Amino acid sequence: MSTAAGRTRPSWKVWAVVAVLFVVVAGLLHAYRNTNVLTADRLCGGLVSAAKADAVLPGSGRVSAERGGIAGDLTDTECEIGKSSLVVGGGKGTLSVRVAEERGDFPFVDGSWPDPAQASFISGPVTGGLYEYDGWVLLPEKCWTTKPVIVEAHSTEPVSDTTAFGALLTDAARAVAAEKACGTLPKEPGSPLPPRSQAARPAQEGRLCGLDGFSIRGQVLAGSEVLEAGQAAPADLWSCTVSLGGDSNRPAAQDGFMTYMAARDPLLLAAVEKAPGTHKGTAPGGREADVVEPQRIVLPCGGGVYLAMESGLQYTETRQRHAGTPPLDTFFESFVRSAAKSFDCGTAAR
């Protein structure tokens, strides 16, 4: 059929082709902006699996990365991964993955990391710690130079699946170790060991933090409510934060009274032994030990047991209020005595 100007109108077949092309382009655009169909399998120059990043970041959407590649100097390795979507309620959040050097017992004593009693630890073929927003995995010892080296990740959104978080970090550490030919890691880590509960709970008398015979009742003001939080003991990576109920101000209560740590994990022990100043000495009670710092020691039983203690703001506040509060050495001695038995290390005293 011709128009008045003598031009031919497009037939219905042409319109059908145009419609199909429009649908195809729209579909490709949707797939590109809202899914991972057209995303590379690995991001950041091969450092991170796109599928594993997608499993960690909440919601649906497309993951993409800025920066990338495993740097010649490992500690220059860093990548930012985001999830975006044009769909209402779609994905959000950013995940920062990088390689860093740390002191050996950093997860227990470095204040820039969350309370270790809130961690879900992994141990065995893979050594690491997972928190609500943060996580780390140790690289094999052959990858270290002067200090232990970790792959760490930090999320702007809460990570609800610690198993997926551990898998992402393990995969990234595996990629680094393979690139640098400095060791091997399995494809998947072991199951994370979570805290016994999400909130502090009343301590059982004579079994504080799950350690037989352990108590601080005689070392704190009579009638103080003693609370505990942490993983079940014994474990290859373990921590427990003790706090006191009552009238302590809120910042001090959040920091806790005392945090106790123990580790039998071989790679973490190797990292601890690299701490500067570590030397042969004695544990409370006179037993031989490697001393990292006054309240951080390694007992030589089996493969070794790292025992450490860190005081919190509540301890400082309590000692200011109550002159009879014992010094730190007293608390550490009672902890070492009980922990040595619970962690199959005999007794701390001769």
Side-chain angles (χ1 to χ4, degrees):
M1 182 181 296
S2 299
T3 64
R7 290 177 297 185
T8 302
R9 291 178 178 175
S11 70
W12 66 269
K13 292 182 180 180
V14 174
W15 287 115
V17 171
V18 171
V20 169
L21 289 174
F22 176 80
V23 170
V24 170
V25 171
L28 290 173
L29 181 61
H30 170 80
Y32 176 74
R33 295 299 299 272
N34 302 296
T35 75
N36 295 320
V37 173
L38 301 178
T39 303
D41 290 340
R42 299 196 69 85
L43 307 169
C44 308
L47 176 65
V48 178
S49 159
K52 285 180 168 54
D54 182 45
V56 169
L57 289 169
S60 59
R62 174 178 177 268
V63 292
S64 57
E66 295 180 4
R67 308 178 192 174
I70 300 170
D73 183 342
L74 276 181
T75 56
D76 290 335
T77 301
E78 185 170 1
C79 180
E80 298 286 337
I81 304 165
K83 179 181 280 189
S84 60
S85 175
L86 296 180
V87 177
V88 176
K92 58 182 179 179
T94 300
L95 191 66
S96 172
V97 180
R98 58 178 176 264
V99 178
E101 286 187 330
E102 288 280 6
R103 60 172 291 161
D105 51 0
F106 75 94
F108 299 132
V109 300
D110 187 342
S112 63
W113 287 88
D115 180 357
Q118 298 300 318
S120 292
F121 287 122
I122 47 180
S123 181
V126 180
T127 301
L130 311 167
Y131 311 83
E132 188 176 14
Y133 292 89
D134 314 277
W136 59 271
V137 160
L138 268 168
L139 284 170
E141 193 170 357
K142 289 182 180 179
C143 303
W144 308 351
T145 51
T146 57
K147 291 182 178 180
V149 182
I150 64 169
V151 173
E152 61 181 275
H154 306 275
S155 175
T156 59
E157 298 293 325
V159 178
S160 59
D161 189 339
T162 53
T163 298
F165 202 14
L168 177 140
L169 281 158
T170 298
D171 183 76
R174 188 166 176 260
V176 172
E179 174 72 18
K180 295 299 183 181
C182 58
T184 59
L185 287 166
K187 291 183 178 180
E188 300 289 339
S191 299
L193 176 66
R196 288 173 57 198
S197 63
Q198 293 301 312
R201 58 196 173 274
Q204 181 181 346
E205 179 57 29
R207 276 190 59 82
L208 179 62
C209 296
L211 306 180
D212 287 335
F214 188 36
S215 175
I216 61 169
R217 287 290 182 189
Q219 299 167 335
V220 297
L221 194 65
S224 297
E225 181 186 21
V226 180
L227 306 173
E228 64 179 35
Q231 302 79 26
D236 287 341
L237 289 173
W238 172 88
S239 182
C240 179
T241 293
V242 173
S243 57
L244 304 179
D247 63 351
S248 179
N249 63 55
R250 186 168 178 79
Q254 288 179 334
D255 196 53
F257 184 81
M258 207 72 68
T259 296
Y260 302 97
M261 295 80 71
R264 298 182 300 197
D265 180 89
L267 193 58
L268 197 284
L269 285 171
V272 169
E273 292 285 4
K274 275 190 168 289
T278 300
H279 62 279
K280 296 294 181 182
T282 57
R287 185 175 181 177
E288 290 185 358
D290 288 347
V291 178
V292 183
E293 288 188 11
Q295 279 88 44
R296 299 174 201 163
I297 62 172
V298 178
L299 293 177
C301 48
V305 176
Y306 170 71
L307 299 175
M309 184 188 79
E310 285 284 301
S311 62
L313 291 177
Q314 262 193 337
Y315 172 77
T316 303
E317 179 190 74
T318 301
R319 199 157 194 218
Q320 289 172 345
R321 290 183 178 184
H322 308 290
T325 304
L328 289 176
D329 285 347
T330 301
F331 286 93
F332 189 54
E333 182 174 357
S334 62
F335 165 62
V336 170
R337 188 182 304 112
S338 297
K341 292 184 291 184
S342 295
F343 283 83
D344 299 323
C345 201
T347 175
R350 285 179 175 174

